[in-house]
Amino acid sequence: AGGLQLERDEAEALFVVAVGCQAGSAAGYGCGAQDISTRLSSLIYGGTSVFAVIAGASGQYFTGWLLEQNGRDFTPMFALVVAVELAGLVAWNRWWDSERVFE
């Protein structure tokens, strides 16, 4: 199978950067619900978390299916992850506004 071959140190550095970016993302998203509503922030955060749980649960099945279709090559999986993350970044920057929406 083709794909990008990384040395151990390169893979470890990418992993550390990815975890750091995710931590920053989670911290920013977590307080975002409080920005738009202090009283309803728990409902907003919980309601939007449903979509993350559904994506996470179905993602396990989809990952296995995609790997089986591609001879266990992770390159298409990583390409799909990058595409989804970039789409999320564009959507977030396009539509996010931290002005209070609800009381």
Side-chain angles (χ1 to χ4, degrees), residues 5-12:
Q5 298 295 319
L6 296 174
E7 297 294 323
R8 182 184 184 283
D9 290 340
E10 294 170 327
E12 186 175 314

Side-chain angles (χ1 to χ4, degrees), residues 21 23 31-32 35 40 47 51 61 64-65 76 79 83 85 87-88 101:
C21 288
C31 65
D35 284 345
L40 299 173
F51 299 105
Y61 171 79
W65 176 82
E85 292 292 330
V101 177

Side-chain angles (χ1 to χ4, degrees), residues 9-99:
D9 290 340
E10 294 170 327
E12 186 175 314
L14 285 174
F15 178 73
V16 168
V17 168
V19 169
C21 288
Q22 193 280 330
S25 172
Y29 182 76
C31 65
Q34 293 177 352
D35 284 345
I36 63 174
S37 174
T38 53
R39 189 172 61 90
L40 299 173
S41 62
S42 60
L43 289 174
I44 295 169
Y45 189 84
T48 55
S49 293
V50 168
F51 299 105
V53 170
I54 291 170
S58 62
Q60 294 176 12
Y61 171 79
F62 180 70
T63 298
W65 176 82
L66 186 60
L67 288 173
E68 287 296 319
Q69 300 302 312
N70 291 302
R72 299 189 182 266
D73 182 13
F74 276 85
T75 304
M77 180 55 57
F78 288 131
L80 181 61
V81 168
V82 168
V84 168
E85 292 292 330
L86 288 175
L89 176 67
V90 169
W92 178 267
N93 287 325
R94 172 79 170 97
W95 290 302
W96 176 254
D97 184 15
S98 61
E99 296 298 318

